[in-house]
Amino acid sequence: MSSKATFVYAASALALFAALPAPAQAASKYGCFKVTVPSLNLRARPYSSAEVVGVAHRGEILEKRKMFCTPRGFWCAIRKGSLEGYADKSNMVKIDCP
């Protein structure tokens, strides 16, 4: 097979793959939380003094990223869209993921 034919074949396969719909994002395997306070700081590390990397608002759903929260159970690793951080567990309730 010539290099031109190989390139055309590879380009065709790539175009076909790119045309496929993206798979739906699977629900978190560890569950989800619903924010219960007006606003909740999402932090870079599981400490109240850590940098705030985002904010979640009452009613928003956050995915749980790890099976267990911190050893004392105050902070949980979460995901809000593409943002990952930690949130204070006392400001959320555990729910089934939508």
Side-chain angles (χ1 to χ4, degrees), residues 34-41 55-60 88-93:
K34 187 173 189 176
V35 178
T36 59
V37 293
S39 64
L40 175 61
N41 288 332
V55 177
H57 300 283
R58 185 186 316 271
E60 286 189 307
D88 185 336
K89 187 177 177 184
S90 67
N91 298 310
M92 307 179 290
V93 293

Side-chain angles (χ1 to χ4, degrees), residues 44-58:
R45 307 288 302 152
Y47 314 108
S48 58
S49 60
E51 174 189 4
V52 175
V53 295
V55 177
H57 300 283
R58 185 186 316 271

Side-chain angles (χ1 to χ4, degrees), residues 63-95:
E63 293 178 56
K64 189 174 178 188
R65 293 189 297 128
K66 297 181 180 179
M67 182 179 286
F68 299 106
C69 294
T70 57
R72 290 189 193 175
F74 299 125
W75 295 91
C76 291
I78 56 85
R79 178 180 299 113
K80 177 185 173 187
S82 62
L83 177 68
E84 293 186 349
Y86 291 83
D88 185 336
K89 187 177 177 184
S90 67
N91 298 310
M92 307 179 290
V93 293
K94 189 145 170 63
I95 62 168

